[in-house]
Amino acid sequence: MEFSTVPIDKPDDLDVIVGQSHFIKTVDDLHEALVGTGPQLRFGLAFCEASGPRLIRHSGNDADLVDLSTRNAMAIGAGHCFVIFLREGHPVNVLNAIRHVPEVCTIFCATANPVQIVIAENSLGRGIVGVIDGPPPLGVESPADQSDRRQLLRHIGYKL
């Protein structure tokens, strides 16, 4: 077995979600789940089909994001993985809807950080082993850092 990493190619202002599913209807169900989270959300998604014609299935409401998700799914090339890019929304707004799609097995990451996908490859194919989602911590938050965090969450509307 060989291990490698695949960097997610994305602009700094986009969020990406990478996960694994198990069925061809994933693309349609993820599309419906994402559309249902809010009319402002712009997204593109791609899914690596692992049987039959083994195509990269794709959908979305933003052509540039559909193209970006498709290119990244092709680079990852792991069976049944999906890649979603978001604009005008964040993972916190859509993760619950994605988790409730019956075909979704796992979500590996949801981030705006630079991210690399860790791949294992053998004679059967490729699989996602995990992700590297940003650099390690530089320390432990202080009481002032805790206060700043809470103020930020209130400022952006996630806490009262």
Side-chain angles (χ1 to χ4, degrees):
M1 184 173 305
E2 293 185 27
F3 293 93
S4 62
T5 57
V6 176
I8 293 293
D9 176 27
K10 71 173 208 58
D12 290 340
D13 65 334
L14 292 181
D15 287 288
V16 63
I17 300 169
V18 178
Q20 187 173 22
S21 186
H22 74 91
F23 194 44
I24 191 174
K25 79 183 192 79
T26 298
V27 172
D28 298 318
D29 289 353
L30 284 174
H31 184 111
E32 291 169 4
L34 291 164
V35 165
T37 63
Q40 80 292 346
L41 182 69
R42 310 306 298 160
F43 67 92
L45 71 100
F47 169 70
C48 293
E49 187 177 51
S51 58
R54 297 191 342 238
L55 301 173
I56 295 182
R57 307 293 180 164
H58 54 88
S59 189
N61 60 10
D62 182 304
D64 291 337
L65 297 181
V66 171
D67 179 61
L68 187 61
S69 64
T70 302
R71 285 187 281 119
N72 277 276
M74 179 69 82
I76 295 167
H80 288 137
C81 77
F82 61 84
V83 178
I84 300 169
F85 283 99
L86 305 175
R87 180 176 285 136
E88 307 299 328
H90 301 284
V92 70
N93 306 122
V94 301
L95 282 173
N96 206 35
I98 291 170
R99 281 187 198 102
H100 282 92
V101 171
E103 305 91 322
V104 171
C105 301
T106 195
I107 297 170
F108 293 106
C109 69
T111 187
N113 290 340
V115 65
Q116 294 180 351
I117 309 300
V118 181
I119 300 291
E121 187 168 359
N122 67 16
S123 61
L124 183 60
R126 292 167 62 105
I128 296 175
V129 176
V131 299
I132 300 171
D133 181 3
L138 298 174
V140 176
E141 72 178 348
S142 69
D145 295 322
Q146 290 174 346
S147 177
D148 291 347
R149 172 173 42 90
R150 291 180 180 122
Q151 285 179 327
L152 172 65
L153 292 172
R154 283 173 179 77
H155 177 74
I156 62 176
Y158 282 101
K159 294 288 182 178
L160 298 176

